[in-house]
């Protein structure tokens, strides 16, 4: 395409499916125009700061059997754990001591009364010992409306539930066919999270077997139409001991998945100018410069992993996850180096709430 044609599409106030497909299909030097514009939009609408989130991988116990996931219930090679409240509070204190004012608590999907109560108690303890200034994101899967309300009351402020793909047929191919893995239930849970008043996030996997550019363009429009506040998406990275691993010959190569992920971040930034977009570990798995590149094309959130080593070595959603044996101190140093290499600045001491959420709720 001619540079002016690309510029004309990027500058449109509204973007249609055909425009997004065109942008996601750019190759080579054509991508640089897209990336440059996305970076400009990010700096204008959310600034040049990078929001830090201390990532705590609370538990890898999961009731689900998603075909792509390394901690799926049927993976008996996975050593299971759940962090104690004391271990979580130690990680939170480390974050606060280093001026990280937001954390993410991530876990396998459980909705048992025991798990719900454990998470409620944990949130209450964090608020008791840390206070209300800390931003707390949960990523604990599908729950009931009552559970979401309970966790919000206990102190959670944000919730991330990745839809993984908005193509129903593709969704059903990468999950078992039963009520526990229902596309409609996933979608309904996401809507309930939003209704509860959370800063709401979702995301997709990029480069799944059978996935098309049209699917990804539809994913972006879904996020726009739902008016999400934050997004965490990354390339599909295969995991040994999963059914989808058997189809690894069908997925694009690492460079293609990396480039496509960067284009997804850039296009989403152009379409949704003031949301929070994460630079994810999955991207770093395929490219040593993955996190830095994401910051360069529109991402503004990064998540240093502050999980104890004894736990995070077993939180393997996919094969080859980097940094599993890094100490918290090393993880934080690496994060600051990535932020600096991207020409951005860390927002030490700030919660980094979604600008879109704040504007919507304080018109």
């Amino acid at each position: 395409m001619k540079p002016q044609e690309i510029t004309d599409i990027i500058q449109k106030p509204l973007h249609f499916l055909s425009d997004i497909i065109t942008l996601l299909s750019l190759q080579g030097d054509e991508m640089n125009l897209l990336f440059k514009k996305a970076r400009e939009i990010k700096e204008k609408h959310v600034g040049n700061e990078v929001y830090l989130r201390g990532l705590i991988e609370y538990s890898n116990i999961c009731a689900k059997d998603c075909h792509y996931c390394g901690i799926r219930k049927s993976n008996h090679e996975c050593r299971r754990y759940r962090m104690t409240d004391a271990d979580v509070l130690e990680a939170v204190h480390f974050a606060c001591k280093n001026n990280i004012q937001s954390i993410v608590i991530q876990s396998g999907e459980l909705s048992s009364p025991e798990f719900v109560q454990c998470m409620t108690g944990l949130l209450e303890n964090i608020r008791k010992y840390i206070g209300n200034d800390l931003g707390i994101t949960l990523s604990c899967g599908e729950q009931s409306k009552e559970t979401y309300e309970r966790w919000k009351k206990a102190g959670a402020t944000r919730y991330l539930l990745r839809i993984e793909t908005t193509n129903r047929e593709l969704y059903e191919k990468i999950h078992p066919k039963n009520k526990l893995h229902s596309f409609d239930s996933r979608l309904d849970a996401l809507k309930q999270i939003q209704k509860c008043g959370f800063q709401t996030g979702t995301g997709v996997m990029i480069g799944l077997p059978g996935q098309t550019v049209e699917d990804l363009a539809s994913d972006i429009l879904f996020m726009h139409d739902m008016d999400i506040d934050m997004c965490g998406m990354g390339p599909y990275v295969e995991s040994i001991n999963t059914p989808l691993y058997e189809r690894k010959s069908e997925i694009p190569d690492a460079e293609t998945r990396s480039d496509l992920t960067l284009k997804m971040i850039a296009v989403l930034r152009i379409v949704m100018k003031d949301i929070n977009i994460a630079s994810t570990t999955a991207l770093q798995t395929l490219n040593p410069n993955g996190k830095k590149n994401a910051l360069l094309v529109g991402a503004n959130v990064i998540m240093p992993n502050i999980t104890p080593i004894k736990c995070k070595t077993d939180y393997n959603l996919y094969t080859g996850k980097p940094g599993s044996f890094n100490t918290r101190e090393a993880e934080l140093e690496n994060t600051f180096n990535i932020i600096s290499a991207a020409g951005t600045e860390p927002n030490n001491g700030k919660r980094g709430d979604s600008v879109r959420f704040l504007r919507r709720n304080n018109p």
Side-chain angles (χ1 to χ4, degrees):
M1 291 184 69
K2 295 179 180 179
Q4 188 58 50
E5 293 175 318
I6 299 172
T7 300
D8 288 344
I9 293 175
I10 291 171
Q11 291 179 339
K12 285 184 179 181
L14 296 174
H15 291 85
F16 299 99
L17 185 67
S18 58
D19 293 331
I20 296 173
I21 291 170
T22 298
L23 294 177
L24 292 178
S25 301
L26 297 176
Q27 299 294 328
D29 291 340
E30 294 176 335
M31 295 190 295
N32 293 332
L33 282 173
L34 170 66
F35 295 158
K36 182 175 182 292
K37 183 62 177 179
R39 187 161 58 249
E40 290 172 356
I41 288 174
K42 181 193 77 168
E43 291 177 0
K44 179 179 178 180
H45 291 272
V46 298
N48 194 45
E49 290 185 329
V50 178
Y51 300 160
L52 272 69
R53 311 276 191 256
L55 177 62
I56 299 172
E57 294 164 333
Y58 175 63
S59 173
N60 67 354
I61 302 170
C62 193
K64 291 205 166 186
D65 241 348
C66 306
H67 293 330
Y68 49 83
C69 185
I71 65 169
R72 65 194 303 264
K73 181 180 179 181
S74 293
N75 184 3
H76 301 298
E77 301 300 316
C78 180
R79 293 184 302 179
R80 306 293 174 172
Y81 74 89
R82 182 186 294 174
M83 290 175 63
T84 65
D85 280 17
D87 281 341
V88 173
L89 287 170
E90 181 187 12
V92 173
H93 278 294
F94 173 85
C96 293
K97 183 176 68 176
N98 287 278
N99 291 321
I100 299 174
Q101 288 300 308
S102 285
I103 61 168
V104 177
I105 300 176
Q106 178 175 302
S107 76
E109 293 200 32
L110 291 176
S111 57
S112 65
E114 179 204 4
F115 180 80
V116 171
Q117 179 55 45
C118 282
M119 182 56 66
T120 304
L122 175 60
L123 290 168
E124 291 171 344
N125 278 336
I126 292 173
R127 287 300 181 209
K128 178 180 178 181
Y129 292 105
I130 305 299
N132 293 322
D133 291 335
L134 185 73
I136 302 177
T137 302
L138 293 183
S139 182
C140 301
E142 297 171 36
Q143 305 291 338
S144 68
K145 180 173 182 266
E146 292 72 26
T147 295
Y148 291 135
E149 291 174 338
R150 187 175 176 184
W151 287 348
K152 190 169 190 302
K153 183 179 180 180
T157 53
R158 313 178 185 117
Y159 205 102
L160 173 67
L161 182 70
R162 293 185 10 157
I163 194 73
E164 303 301 5
T165 175
T166 58
N167 180 325
R168 180 187 295 269
E169 183 179 347
L170 181 57
Y171 187 96
E172 291 173 352
K173 286 181 178 179
I174 63 174
H175 295 89
K177 295 181 179 179
N178 57 43
K179 291 182 179 179
L180 195 60
H181 303 82
S182 162
F183 179 83
D184 289 325
S185 296
R186 195 76 169 180
L187 185 57
D188 181 67
L190 196 52
K191 292 176 180 177
Q192 294 300 332
I193 290 165
Q194 204 167 39
K195 288 178 182 177
C196 287
F198 282 107
Q199 294 180 46
T200 302
T202 191
V204 297
M205 286 186 290
I206 300 157
L208 287 164
Q211 189 179 53
T212 66
V213 174
E214 289 78 9
D215 292 331
L216 293 170
S218 295
D219 291 339
I220 287 178
L221 287 180
F222 168 84
M223 289 186 269
H224 173 270
D225 293 344
M226 190 167 184
D227 197 19
I228 63 166
D229 304 301
M230 56 191 193
C231 178
M233 60 182 172
Y236 163 62
V237 182
E238 56 270 39
S239 177
I240 297 173
N241 299 320
T242 62
L244 212 58
Y245 186 76
E246 299 171 5
R247 299 178 60 189
K248 61 181 180 177
S249 62
E250 299 176 42
I251 63 175
D253 61 34
E255 183 178 2
T256 300
R257 276 177 284 160
S258 295
D259 285 348
L260 193 50
T261 300
L262 295 177
K263 287 186 283 186
M264 283 286 286
I265 291 171
V267 173
L268 184 60
R269 174 59 66 195
I270 290 168
V271 173
M272 303 190 74
K273 297 176 173 54
D274 54 0
I275 68 170
N276 285 343
I277 303 176
S279 171
T280 62
T281 303
L283 192 52
Q284 190 84 0
T285 306
L286 298 185
N287 184 328
N289 293 314
K291 286 186 177 180
K292 180 191 78 172
N293 292 339
L295 296 178
L296 287 171
V297 304
N300 69 317
V301 171
I302 199 164
M303 297 178 286
N305 195 326
I306 58 173
T307 310
I309 292 176
K310 64 181 180 180
C311 297
K312 72 176 180 176
T313 51
D314 291 322
Y315 200 87
N316 293 315
L317 301 179
Y318 46 80
T319 302
K321 173 184 166 187
S324 292
F325 294 94
N326 285 350
T327 64
R328 291 169 181 156
E329 291 78 10
E331 185 77 11
L332 201 54
E333 181 180 359
N334 289 343
T335 297
F336 286 129
N337 288 340
I338 290 168
I339 292 171
S340 177
T344 50
E345 299 175 358
N347 74 328
N348 282 31
K350 300 177 185 177
R351 279 174 43 141
D353 290 319
S354 166
V355 172
R356 192 178 194 89
F357 178 86
L358 295 176
R359 285 176 179 167
R360 187 192 306 113
N361 289 275
N362 298 282

